[in-house]
Each structure stands twice: as C-alpha cells, then as structure tokens.
C-alpha cells in the first residue's frame, strides 16, 4: 500500500464513538481537525483513523509529525519529506508540494499543529486549493480556522467507564477490579490517557493503593498549591485541565533529583535521541557518564521517556517535553544546554564529513539522516549565536542532505550561513562547493556558475594565502595544499564543481580540461581523498561525453574496483550509471542493464530518489535497445513516478536523453502505442516501490 503511517500504539483502547465520528467526517470533508488538550489522545485517535481509512485513498495515507518543529521555516520541507517528495526544484517553497499532490487522491495527516496553527492553516488552504483529491486530517489543541474545516473535539475517556480502566490495566500490566483503588485513580485523573499512563508506570513501581493515596494528597490540595513551578502555564496547560498538569508534576516529584535534572535537559532534543547523544548533551554537575544511564532508565520506567526503538533511540511526548523545557528555563540552564546540544551535533556533522571517504560512509550517511531534526535545530541555534560555527556545521552535512534529496534545506542553510558568517578559507570554500552542487542539482545553472567561481577563488585563498591550519573546523580537507606548490582538496573540489556544471550544460570538453588540469598538478591518487575521487569521476563522465568510450570504461572500472576496496558507495553508484551509459553508446544493452540495476541498488540504499529516477531512465533505455518493449514501458512508467517525486521534469545527461527518445520511439512502434501507454500508465499509477522491485529483477526473474 502507498503511503507511510507509524505503527499503531498497542495501548489504544475504546474511542469507538470518536473513531466513527472521525471516519464519517473524513468521508464528507476535506479537512478534519481533532482538537483537545494535551495528553487527551489526539495523536492515537488520528493514527487509528488514518490506518482505518487508508485503503480509501489510492495514493496512500501519509503522516507528518510537526511536533519536531519549533518554527515555521521548515514546515513545507517537513511535509514534503513526509510524502516522499525530494523536491529538487527552486522557486517558492510550496510550489513543488502543490505540484506533487495536484493529481493524487491521498490522506495527509498533520500531527501536533497547535504551535504552528497559522502557518499550517495557510499551507493547508493552499494545498487543498491545488489538489482536489487531497484530504487532510490534523490534530491540534485548537482549530486551524480554514474554510470548510470540520472540527471534532476530543474529551477524556469517561472516568468511571470501562475504557479508562482498560487503559490503566493495559499500561500497568495488571488486571485490577473495577471497584477499588484503580477505579478511584481513573476518576481522580478524569480519564485523561496520558495521566493514566503516568499513573500506571508508578503502579508498576509501587501499588495501586499507594498511587491512589499519593494522587489524593496532590489533587485534593488547593489548585494554587498543586503545582506552582510553571511559568505562563495557560499556554501549555489550559485552566480547565489542571489535572494533567498535576499528574505530570506528581510524576516529576516522584522522580529522583538526577532524573528530574535529566528530564529538563532532554527537552532540548526535538527528535529521537540515543544514549550517546543524551550523554554528550545532558551531562554536567552530578549528572555524569556513570549516573546518566540509570537516570534515563528511571525515566523510561516512569513512562516519561519512551523505551528505545530497534535502533536504540528514545523520544519524549510533546506534552512532557514542554514541561521539561519549562523546568530547564527556570533552572537558568536553557542557553547552556542548547549550546551544548549545538556543539554536539556540530561535532557529529564534522565526524560524518570526515568518514565520508571510506568504509563508514553508509553508516554516517544514515546517522546524518536519522538525526536530521536535531542537526537542523543545532544549525538554527548557531545561526543566532555563532554564524561561523553554523557555516562549519551546514558545510559538513549539506552534501549528504543533497544526496538524500533535501536540496531546499541544504540551500537555505548554506545561503543563510554564508550571509551571516565572516569566516574565510576552508570552511567558506567547502560551503560554497556544497551550495554549487545543490544549485546544479536544482537546475539553477546561472547562480551555480557564480558560486563555482567564488568557490575557486576561496579555495585559492585558503590554500595559497592562509597560514597552514587556518580556518574554522577540522573536517576532511583541512590543511590540504599547505605546501603552496600544488592544489589541495579545496581546489580539487572547486574543479569538480566546475566540471559538474560543464557536464550538465553539455560542455564535456570544458569539464575534461578543468579537472584534468588540477589532477595533473595535484599529488596523490584517487583513493587519497573524496575530492580527488570526485574529480576522477567527473573526468570519466567527460570522456564519455567526448566519445572516448573505451578509455572512459577502462578508467571507470578501475575507479569502481577502488571504491569497492574502500567500501565507498556514492561514487560507486555514479560509476555504475556511467558504465550503463557507456554500454548503451557502445551498443551493448545487456551490459548497460546490469550496470543500471547495480546503480539502482546503490541509490536505493542511499535513499536518493533523484538517483533512482536517473537509474530507471537508463535501465528503460537499455531494455528498449534490447527490444524488450513491455519491460521498457513498465520501467519507464516507474521512472516517471520517481521523477514526479523529485518535483522536476525528467532530465539527465544530454547523451542519455537522446538515446532514451530514440529507443523509446522504436519500442512504441514495435509493441504498439496503445499497449505501451497502458503499461506505462499502470506503472506510473502503481506503487513506485513495487515498480522498482520489478525493475531490479534480472532477465528471467520478472514473473
């Protein structure tokens, strides 16, 4: 099935009436918003309703967690990412998203809109106008206020009813009788699901009787004495729902001092976090490397922090994280912990860049992807507090973001940091190189040319004018060229950027000359650095464009063997694309098909939708050249689906476009236009992943 929804929480109980109301509303309205106070179960209900309704939407049900955002700047990018739109187009932020959804019939779930209600309302209104087949299900503490919105207010579970007790039983792992302490707990906590979960965690540690008594002493106190440590409580804790506020405060009081300190500090994380990140960011004072793991385990036992997932990552619910953030602010540590968080993720970005060239590339690529939210949070912090460090961070990860399809975010971060930072040398040259690559991939060749020239000038300044070791950061390429007699990695990358730009604008001679000149002057071989490897890659593509196919193939095979020895993935994938193109130009479609499939396997591992689209095009061309018309039509239709997910029209190297048109025309004639179109449209409208699976099956495996 198309789409992506998180797995349902096994603790979902009751809500039959509310679920029917949401389901009926989705059938009648294009915007349905589930409202209610924090902790009442809006997310769970929306997720259950989305799973239930998904089969009604041919293009799937897609989930967006907006709780990870602390401002509207990345709203469109996050929604685009959640519907698998790797938007490579420049222009207004929402344009590509509107284009992606325009012809689809899908359900988009926007969870936790309350802190972005106005920008969410603007975006939803724009999307609904552009996409007639779109339905939006939102959760928010208040309505969005969009015309045609159907609002469903979610109340707590009936306190004395069976559902509240069932939830408490399931969460505590104990079959309580309806009469007795458990029933009293449900009534005292007014049937609020999050409050019941927190109570269940304490029941597992104590007993139902003890928990009932403790809640009684807290909730029977005067309202002003129940919890007096929150500033501006009305923003997070509506006056009509002080019970949840008291329940979370009670859980906080039952935590040990170290657990409370960790709770506050963990609130700086916007996304999931692992033990290593928590340790790096949250240690200090009595909370050290020895005591933090035990404190974290205590918060997990108390249901304040969710247990680790399969990858070892924890998370906090928004309501609980907001509470921790208020405590952090009151302790006066908010700025200090935010700075520590930014420094940690800047360091992580630097390590990822250093490890790009070698056997740990794929691991670090995936690490950057997994920590994307907190890398963006750290970047936003540094843009305000230390622009030079911000330039270092974004320069370290922007190429990985671009490979992943996050071109708009890479460009936005790079342009902001370059504008605000006055740093010169290596850190600026590297950021300009990353920005140039991003602009080329967006098809912005004029701006890319300007950035390419600035990158070359900055590289010369860094390698020939600066004292050795000057500049910000210590990532890959630092200190290269300090001998002043030969170009270093910065100049090599500047040449690779100029060559890439020349290749994509149909000038293979210029590409060959610019990288050849620098490689001839540089010391070392292609395995010595990522920059050298990129220059050699550009030269191979330039040789292909010049028609020197045997030479191009021979150099590509040697480079591929080197990449296999290094366990380097990105360059190896690009080389498979080049070898497929060479096979086509040499009239060997069988060899071309094999290389195209190897490229597709690599791009799938990297999660690079643009690479998948390019690979499907070369595979479709090879199949057409081999006379396999039906398979070519199927692969070409799947390719069009992936191109649409990038937000841009089909494109690629000029030589491939001409071959694709030539052989596609041939197979259209051989199997007939109606048959070709039927297969093409079926693949285009089917599940892209299924189409990719079919494409990756070799001859005799396509049943």
């Amino acid at each position: 099935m198309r789409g992506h929804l998180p797995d349902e929480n096994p603790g979902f109980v009751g809500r039959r009436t509310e679920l029917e109301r949401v389901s009926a509303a989705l059938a009648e309205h294009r915007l349905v918003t589930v409202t209610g106070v924090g902790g009442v179960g809006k997310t769970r209900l929306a997720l259950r309703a989305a799973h239930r309704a998904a089969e009604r939407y041919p293009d799937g049900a897609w989930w967006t967690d907006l709780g990870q955002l602390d401002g509207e700047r990345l709203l469109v990018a996050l929604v685009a990412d959640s519907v698998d739109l790797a938007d490579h187009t420049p222009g207004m932020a929402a344009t590509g998203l509107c284009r992606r959804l325009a012809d689809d019939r899908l359900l988009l779930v926007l969870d936790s809109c309350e802190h972005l209600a106005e920008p969410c309302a603007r975006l939803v209104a724009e999307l609904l106008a552009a996409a007639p087949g779109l339905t939006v299900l939102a959760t928010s503490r208040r309505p969005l206020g969009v015309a045609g919105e159907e609002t469903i207010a979610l109340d707590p579970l009936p306190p004395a009813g069976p559902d509240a007790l069932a939830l408490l039983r399931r969460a505590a792992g104990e079959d309580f009788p309806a009469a007795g302490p458990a029933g009293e707990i449900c009534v005292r906590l007014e049937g609020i699901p999050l409050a019941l979960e927190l109570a269940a965690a304490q029941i597992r540690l104590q007993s139902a009787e003890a928990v009932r008594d403790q809640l009684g002493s807290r909730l029977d106190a005067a309202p002003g004495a129940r919890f007096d440590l929150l500033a501006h409580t009305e923003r997070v804790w509506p006056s009509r729902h002080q019970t949840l506020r008291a329940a979370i405060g009670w859980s906080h009081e039952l935590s040990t001092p170290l657990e409370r300190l960790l709770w506050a500090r963990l609130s700086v994380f916007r996304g999931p976090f692992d033990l290593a990140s928590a340790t790096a960011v949250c240690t200090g004072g009595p909370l050290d490397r020895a005591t933090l793991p035990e404190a974290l385990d205590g918060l997990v036992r108390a249901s304040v922090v969710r247990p680790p997932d399969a990858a070892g990552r924890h998370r906090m619910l928004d309501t609980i994280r907001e509470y921790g953030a208020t405590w952090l602010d009151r302790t006066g540590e908010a700025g200090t912990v935010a700075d520590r968080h930014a420094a940690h993720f800047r360091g992580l970005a630097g390590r990822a860049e250093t490890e790009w060239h070698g056997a740990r590339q794929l691991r670090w690529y995936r690490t950057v992807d997994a920590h994307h939210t907190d890398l963006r949070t750290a970047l936003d912090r540094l843009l305000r507090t230390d622009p030079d460090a911000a330039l270092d961070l974004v320069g370290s990860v922007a190429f990985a973001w671009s490979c992943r399809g996050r071109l708009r975010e890479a460009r936005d971060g790079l342009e902001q940091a370059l504008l605000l930072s006055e740093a010169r040398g290596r850190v600026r040259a590297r950021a300009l190189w990353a920005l140039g690559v991003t602009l080329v991939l967006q098809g912005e060749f004029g701006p890319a040319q300007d950035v390419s020239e600035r990158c070359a000038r900055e590289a010369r300044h860094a390698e020939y004018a600066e004292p050795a070791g000057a500049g910000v950061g210590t990532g890959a390429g630092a200190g290269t060229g300090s001998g002043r007699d030969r170009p270093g990695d910065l100049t090599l990358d500047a040449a690779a950027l100029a060559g890439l730009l020349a290749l994509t604008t149909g000038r293979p001679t210029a590409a060959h000359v610019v990288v050849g000149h620098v490689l001839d002057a540089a010391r070392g071989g292609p395995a010595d650095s990522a920059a050298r490897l990129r220059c050699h890659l550009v030269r191979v593509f330039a040789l292909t464009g010049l028609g020197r196919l045997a030479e191009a193939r021979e150099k590509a095979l040697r480079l591929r063997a080197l990449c296999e020895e290094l366990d380097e993935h990105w360059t190896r994938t690009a080389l498979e694309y080049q070898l497929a193109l060479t096979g086509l130009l040499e009239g060997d479609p069988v060899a071309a098909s094999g290389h195209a499939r190897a490229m597709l396997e690599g791009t799938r591992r990297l999660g690079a939708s643009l690479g998948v689209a390019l690979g499907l095009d070369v595979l479709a061309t090879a199949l057409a050249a081999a006379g396999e018309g039906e398979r070519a039509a199927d692969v070409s239709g799947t390719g069009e689906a992936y191109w649409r997910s990038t937000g841009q029209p089909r494109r690629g190297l000029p030589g491939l476009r001409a071959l694709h048109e030539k052989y596609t025309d041939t197979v259209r004639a051989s199997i007939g236009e109606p048959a070709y179109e039927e297969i093409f449209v079926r693949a285009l409208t089917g599940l892209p992943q299924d189409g990719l699976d079919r494409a990756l099956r070799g001859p005799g495996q396509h049943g």
Side-chain angles (χ1 to χ4, degrees):
M1 181 177 291
R2 281 179 183 259
H4 170 71
L5 295 172
D7 293 335
E8 289 193 71
N9 188 320
F12 187 93
V13 297
R15 298 298 197 191
R16 288 176 294 276
T17 300
E18 295 90 338
L19 187 59
E20 291 299 332
R21 288 184 61 200
V22 174
S23 298
L26 288 173
E28 296 291 333
H29 302 275
R30 297 184 60 209
L31 171 60
V32 178
T33 303
V34 178
T35 64
V37 297
V40 81
K42 300 183 295 295
T43 296
R44 291 186 190 184
L45 179 65
L47 183 56
R48 172 60 63 94
H51 275 284
R52 189 174 180 181
E55 63 183 17
R56 301 208 307 258
Y57 299 92
D59 295 296
W62 305 82
W63 185 271
T64 310
D65 175 13
L66 301 181
Q68 58 190 290
L69 297 180
D70 59 1
E72 66 177 283
R73 190 159 56 82
L74 298 175
L75 172 61
V76 174
L78 181 63
V79 175
D81 197 45
S82 73
V83 296
D84 281 354
L85 171 60
D87 187 4
H88 292 71
T89 57
M92 293 186 65
T95 303
L97 184 56
C98 288
R99 189 183 303 115
R100 156 73 171 84
L101 303 179
D103 299 321
D104 287 351
R105 289 178 56 203
L106 60 79
L107 175 65
L108 174 63
V109 187
L110 302 177
D111 185 40
S112 300
C113 297
E114 52 274 344
H115 62 305
L116 299 170
E118 292 183 6
C120 278
R122 291 194 298 270
L123 178 60
V124 167
E126 189 172 352
L127 293 177
L128 291 174
L134 172 66
T135 299
V136 176
L137 174 59
T139 72
S140 178
R141 293 176 191 170
R142 59 188 178 92
L144 299 183
V146 176
E149 178 181 27
E150 176 72 5
T151 301
I152 296 177
L154 186 63
D155 293 321
L157 297 168
D163 291 341
L165 185 62
L167 183 110
L168 188 68
R169 286 169 170 166
R170 182 170 297 181
E174 201 170 329
D175 189 16
F176 307 112
E184 294 178 51
I185 290 170
C186 293
V187 172
R188 285 189 173 276
L189 293 178
E190 300 178 9
I192 303 168
L194 177 55
L196 292 173
E197 281 195 348
L198 294 171
Q202 294 301 327
I203 290 173
R204 293 195 300 269
L205 299 174
Q206 305 179 54
S207 68
E209 290 82 358
V211 168
R212 175 198 59 190
D213 294 341
Q214 290 169 18
L215 283 173
S217 64
R218 168 165 288 284
L219 296 177
D220 291 340
R226 291 177 184 172
F227 205 71
D228 57 2
L229 296 174
L230 286 177
H232 308 296
T233 56
E234 68 279 356
R235 184 174 63 84
V236 178
W237 310 101
S239 58
R240 67 182 183 278
H241 230 320
Q242 298 296 333
T243 298
L244 178 60
R245 173 187 172 194
I248 294 180
W250 166 69
S251 293
H252 188 264
E253 286 183 358
L254 293 177
S255 300
T256 68
L258 289 184
E259 290 168 357
R260 291 197 290 268
L261 182 59
L262 180 59
W263 183 345
R265 291 176 178 175
L266 286 173
S267 67
V268 76
F269 288 95
R270 303 294 303 195
F273 56 88
D274 54 24
L275 177 60
S277 292
T279 301
V281 174
C282 300
T283 52
L287 195 61
D288 56 27
R289 291 181 175 273
T291 57
L292 187 143
E294 183 179 350
L296 181 59
D297 287 344
L299 293 177
V300 171
R301 288 193 298 271
S303 292
V304 170
V305 170
R306 293 306 192 199
D309 61 16
R313 293 190 297 266
H314 299 270
R315 61 165 297 173
M316 298 174 77
L317 292 180
D318 290 343
T319 306
I320 292 176
R321 183 180 58 78
E322 288 168 352
Y323 171 69
T326 306
W327 260 86
L328 186 65
D329 187 57
R330 290 186 63 86
T331 64
E333 284 195 334
T336 301
V337 178
D339 288 340
R340 200 180 299 149
H341 174 275
H344 169 69
F345 283 100
R346 179 189 173 194
L348 183 145
R351 291 194 299 277
E353 183 200 11
T354 302
E355 297 285 354
W356 181 264
H357 185 62
R360 293 158 66 88
Q361 182 187 86
L362 192 59
R363 173 191 166 185
W364 277 100
Y365 177 84
R366 289 172 175 166
T367 297
V368 167
D369 196 44
H371 291 289
H372 179 69
T373 299
D374 280 292
L375 283 164
R376 284 297 328 210
T377 301
L379 175 59
D380 288 344
R381 173 73 179 176
L382 292 173
L383 285 170
R384 296 190 299 270
T385 62
D386 189 347
D388 291 353
L391 187 65
D392 184 48
L393 185 155
V394 72
S396 297
V397 297
F399 185 63
W401 285 357
S402 293
C403 292
R404 184 64 174 81
R406 294 188 167 104
L407 293 182
R408 194 182 305 282
E409 290 183 70
R411 180 176 178 177
D412 175 66
L414 287 163
E415 288 180 337
Q416 283 198 76
L418 284 164
L419 181 65
L420 294 172
S421 171
E422 297 180 358
R424 295 293 308 274
R426 187 192 72 84
V427 69
R428 181 166 290 271
R430 183 190 54 182
L432 287 166
W433 165 74
L435 178 58
V437 171
T438 301
L439 291 168
V440 170
L441 292 175
Q442 286 188 316
E444 291 278 89
F445 301 129
Q449 181 64 46
D450 174 66
V451 169
S452 176
E453 293 169 2
R454 290 166 57 198
C455 179
R457 290 195 298 270
E458 196 65 37
R460 285 194 297 272
H461 169 79
E463 293 183 346
Y464 296 99
E466 277 189 352
V472 178
T474 57
T480 56
S482 58
R484 302 295 185 268
D485 56 342
R486 292 182 184 273
D489 282 355
L490 298 176
T491 298
L492 284 159
D493 260 337
L497 171 58
L500 174 65
L501 180 58
L503 285 173
T504 52
T505 52
R507 298 177 290 124
T509 300
H512 188 263
V513 169
V514 69
V515 297
H517 174 74
V518 175
L519 284 173
D520 290 345
R523 287 193 179 99
D528 289 350
S529 72
R532 284 169 170 76
L533 195 56
R534 285 188 280 261
C535 275
H536 281 277
L537 175 65
V538 170
R539 185 155 67 176
V540 165
F541 274 97
L543 289 170
T544 306
L546 291 170
R548 295 160 61 176
L549 302 181
E551 187 180 357
R553 184 178 65 255
E554 184 267 334
K555 288 184 180 298
L557 289 171
R558 277 198 280 124
L559 277 180
R560 188 185 66 174
L562 181 62
C563 290
E564 289 171 350
E565 184 180 334
L566 292 169
D567 197 22
E568 198 276 355
H569 292 261
W570 182 84
T571 305
R572 190 190 328 177
T573 296
L575 286 165
E576 295 289 4
Y577 178 74
Q578 183 276 336
L579 287 165
L581 181 58
T582 301
L584 282 170
L585 292 168
E586 290 182 323
D588 189 350
V590 175
S593 296
H595 290 302
R597 289 192 181 91
M599 180 211 176
L600 287 169
E601 288 283 10
T603 52
R604 181 161 67 171
R605 280 194 298 272
L606 292 169
S609 59
L610 178 60
V612 171
L614 288 166
L616 288 167
D617 274 0
V618 74
L619 178 58
T621 305
L623 292 170
E628 297 188 51
E630 293 182 352
R631 296 197 69 204
D634 181 55
V635 173
S636 190
T638 302
E640 177 63 24
Y642 274 93
W643 277 111
R644 292 187 181 185
S645 79
T646 70
Q648 65 180 20
R650 249 187 171 112
R651 60 186 174 94
L653 293 178
L656 178 61
R657 291 199 296 270
L659 287 170
H660 184 75
E661 292 173 6
K662 171 186 172 182
Y663 289 118
T664 298
D665 288 345
T666 301
V667 296
R668 281 179 181 270
S670 67
I671 69 172
E673 184 73 21
Y676 185 96
E677 281 299 314
E678 180 183 354
I679 298 170
F680 181 92
V681 171
R682 187 188 311 134
L684 171 61
T685 56
L687 295 177
Q689 184 59 55
D690 288 350
L692 180 57
D693 289 342
R694 292 194 302 273
L696 285 168
R697 298 184 191 120
Q701 298 177 299
H702 54 276

